[in-house]
């Protein structure tokens, strides 16, 4: 299974943008890049996913490198509610999937008021 | 549109006992996966159910078993509980035909084994 590498922790100030990096140098052509986040005492929450092109939704933006070996989750204006552990996960995207999300330790984001 | 629901929220058991956890998938989803999350760790995949059959299994002993019902809801059973089974148990659902494998998680059941 393709693996991802993320920093253990990051800090941000409230209302400032946050860029969360993820390296996935062994990604294959059919792997989707997913981001989930987990707030304290809650289940993981889907944030965004992409394949090759940059993606935007109401929660965040996903910037994918041209060679797809890295990606960056962008929170445009961090709020205190964005303090969570962020997981970058690759999923096999050919005709349905293996169904097995492999979580690493993720990046713990702290947001200061 | 209801999301993934799980019951109970919390559970306390003693070593050797058996436990059953329940999950109802998000509306329109037909595939359910179960994950175990120990304190301070990322979730670990236990197994996945589709069409009432176990389709894929992670590295968990046979003490962990499951079931999926015709309405797509699912149960996770753990027999002969050990102290190390104390964890947050998460259920996630998705649609089998969807290529991206985006899964939606429930709030989890916190199991404490004494």
């Amino acid at each position: 299974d393709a693996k991802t590498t993320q920093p253990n922790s990051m800090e941000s100030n409230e209302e400032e943008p946050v860029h969360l990096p993820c390296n996935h140098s062994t990604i294959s052509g059919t792997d989707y890049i997913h981001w989930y986040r987990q707030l304290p005492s809650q289940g993981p929450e889907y944030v965004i996913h992409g394949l090759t092109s940059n993606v935007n939704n109401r929660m965040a933006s996903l910037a994918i490198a041209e060679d797809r070996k890295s990606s960056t989750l962008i929170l445009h204006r961090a709020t205190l509610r964005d303090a969570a552990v962020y997981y970058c996960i690759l999923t096999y995207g050919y005709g349905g999937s293996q169904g097995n999300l492999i979580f690493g330790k993720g990046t713990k984001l702290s947001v200061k008021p | 549109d209801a999301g993934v629901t799980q019951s109970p929220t919390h559970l306390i058991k003693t070593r050797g006992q058996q436990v059953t956890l329940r999950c109802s998938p998000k509306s329109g989803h037909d595939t359910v996966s179960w994950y175990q999350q120990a304190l301070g760790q990322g979730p670990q995949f236990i197994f996945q159910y589709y069409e009432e059959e176990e389709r894929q299994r992670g590295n968990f002993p046979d003490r962990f078993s499951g079931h999926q019902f015709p309405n797509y809801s699912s149960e996770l059973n753990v027999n002969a509980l050990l102290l190390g089974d104390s964890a947050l148990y998460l259920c996630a659902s998705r649609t089998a035909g969807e290529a991206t494998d985006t899964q939606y998680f429930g709030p989890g059941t916190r199991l404490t084994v004494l």
Side-chain angles (χ1 to χ4, degrees):
Chain A
D1 293 315
K3 295 188 177 176
T4 63
T5 304
Q6 300 177 253
N8 289 333
S9 62
M10 291 184 65
E11 278 191 355
S12 173
N13 294 316
E14 198 175 11
E15 299 193 3
E16 289 186 356
V18 181
H19 291 234
L20 297 164
C22 181
N23 288 317
H24 29 78
S25 58
T26 60
I27 190 170
S28 73
T30 55
D31 286 340
Y32 283 83
I33 302 159
H34 273 81
W35 284 81
Y36 289 81
R37 71 179 184 182
Q38 189 171 21
L39 279 64
S41 301
Q42 295 188 26
E45 175 187 29
Y46 165 75
V47 177
I48 199 167
H49 76 275
L51 185 61
T52 56
S53 303
N54 295 343
V55 184
N56 300 297
N57 67 20
R58 64 174 180 82
M59 291 181 69
S61 295
L62 176 60
I64 301 172
E66 195 168 334
D67 63 5
R68 301 210 326 127
K69 293 187 176 182
S70 66
S71 61
T72 302
L73 179 70
I74 303 166
L75 307 179
H76 295 286
R77 289 185 64 193
T79 68
L80 297 178
R81 193 195 172 276
D82 291 322
V85 178
Y86 286 78
Y87 296 100
C88 170
I89 300 172
L90 302 182
T91 63
Y92 178 64
Y94 174 66
S97 91
Q98 307 301 308
N100 173 9
L101 296 182
I102 299 175
F103 287 82
K105 294 201 172 203
T107 297
K108 184 174 183 178
L109 176 66
S110 302
V111 180
K112 295 183 289 184
Chain B
D1 179 20
V4 179
T5 60
Q6 294 186 243
S7 63
T9 305
H10 296 87
L11 206 50
I12 299 175
K13 292 286 188 179
T14 57
R15 279 178 298 174
Q17 284 189 310
Q18 178 265 343
V19 68
T20 297
L21 311 180
R22 295 176 176 82
C23 169
S24 290
K26 182 177 168 65
S27 177
H29 287 183
D30 55 13
T31 302
V32 172
S33 297
W34 287 91
Y35 293 79
Q36 180 196 65
Q37 186 173 24
L39 206 59
Q41 304 295 316
Q44 280 197 297
F45 175 74
I46 302 175
F47 43 52
Q48 179 192 66
Y49 275 83
Y50 170 62
E51 291 186 329
E52 303 179 45
E53 291 189 13
E54 183 183 296
R55 299 291 177 170
Q56 194 179 7
R57 189 180 184 91
N59 187 25
F60 280 80
D62 291 345
R63 297 187 298 109
F64 290 77
S65 63
H67 189 79
Q68 186 179 35
F69 300 93
N71 67 353
Y72 308 121
S73 67
S74 177
E75 288 182 349
L76 164 65
N77 301 294
V78 187
N79 294 321
L81 285 167
L82 304 173
L83 295 178
D85 295 331
S86 294
L88 180 68
Y89 288 85
L90 296 159
C91 169
S93 73
R94 69 179 182 93
T95 302
E98 197 253 341
T100 66
D101 195 24
T102 299
Q103 298 189 24
Y104 295 85
F105 285 80
T109 294
R110 173 71 63 187
L111 172 65
T112 302
V113 182
L114 302 176

